[in-house]
Amino acid sequence: MAGGLITDFSIHLHTDYSSDILPLIRREGISLILLNIRNDHLTGMRLCEQIRRESSIPIILLGGSSDFDLARKALTFDVSDYLTDPVNPEELARSLVAVKRKLEPLSRSYTPSQTVGEAAQERDTASSCSIINTIKQYVDDQLHQNITLKRISDSLNFNCAYLGQKFKQHENMSFNEYLLRQRMEKAKLLLETTDMKIYEIADAVGYTEMDWFYKKFREYTGTSANEYRKQCFITA
């Protein structure tokens, strides 16, 4: 848990028992909850649900699994972020910054309408970060499947165009560009480190039509998959 926000977060309270959290929220000036769910995802989800019945305090979940359904469940409780195990310190830092911006009082002079807009933008930023991370996690887990943003948006109960816009703002590329990059980078890695057949690699990264895989791989790397593998062996 963290509280006493001025310029940075500081550890204010800590507990190993989930039953202690709600009483602490009620009586302490807590700004943020860091909830470690590494060893018990189900209890973590139940605790999020209990917290949300009483408070809108930001929650960052640490040590989650790569199970997309679990990440989607976390989103229904409006968590600020869902970080899978092992937790990347840089990702945690970015999450803390997003929450900090959401919580900071607006010290600059704005008209009332501007202040409301600024606050809404900060809330939107923190929420978008969590959603985008969930989308990226889904892509990583389902790379071998037929992935579309429409399918993901339906699973998350979001408008597809809205998610596409938020994704591009957050990642500086469209969802399809991100998906292509992830597939091609995975294909390159498999070409470099395994003796899998080209058709097996294509299938592993979500391509059922070999001609389409060959075309996209050449466009992405400037060479064919076979030539890429040969170059890797020559370099090695």
Side-chain angles (χ1 to χ4, degrees), residues 79-215:
V79 299
S80 296
D81 213 342
Y82 178 92
L83 304 181
T84 56
D85 199 27
V87 175
N88 184 314
E90 292 184 358
E91 288 186 5
L92 176 57
R94 284 194 292 269
S95 297
L96 290 173
V97 167
V99 172
K100 180 175 181 290
R101 288 174 177 168
K102 178 181 177 180
L103 295 174
E104 280 177 335
L106 298 171
S107 58
R108 291 172 291 178
S109 297
Y110 290 105
T111 64
S113 61
Q114 288 173 319
T115 301
V116 170
E118 181 82 3
Q121 184 178 12
E122 296 296 354
R123 288 194 299 271
D124 189 52
T125 298
S127 177
S128 295
C129 182
S130 178
I131 295 168
I132 298 308
N133 283 343
T134 300
I135 294 173
K136 291 165 68 175
Q137 188 67 57
Y138 180 90
V139 169
D140 290 343
D141 293 343
Q142 305 294 326
L143 204 57
H144 60 292
Q145 300 287 354
N146 178 26
I147 303 173
T148 66
L149 187 59
K150 178 66 167 61
R151 180 173 295 180
I152 296 175
S153 63
D154 288 345
S155 297
L156 295 175
N157 295 316
F158 276 93
N159 178 273
C160 184
Y162 170 82
L163 277 191
Q165 179 186 38
K166 291 300 178 185
F167 192 93
K168 190 165 187 177
Q169 290 175 350
H170 192 275
E171 296 296 316
N172 294 318
M173 67 178 74
S174 70
F175 172 79
N176 287 336
E177 289 171 331
Y178 176 82
L179 177 59
L180 176 64
R181 186 183 73 177
Q182 294 304 103
R183 281 178 163 158
M184 292 299 103
E185 290 299 326
K186 178 67 175 294
K188 286 167 58 179
L189 179 64
L190 293 175
L191 287 166
E192 295 167 8
T193 60
T194 75
D195 59 357
M196 293 171 64
K197 304 295 185 183
I198 303 297
Y199 74 87
E200 292 175 326
I201 292 175
D203 185 66
V205 297
Y207 288 92
T208 56
E209 297 181 13
M210 286 300 299
D211 288 345
W212 189 240
F213 171 74
Y214 281 129
K215 179 178 186 297

Side-chain angles (χ1 to χ4, degrees), residues 210-223:
M210 286 300 299
D211 288 345
W212 189 240
F213 171 74
Y214 281 129
K215 179 178 186 297
K216 304 308 288 185
F217 190 89
R218 181 178 288 278
E219 288 177 352
Y220 186 81
T221 64
T223 188

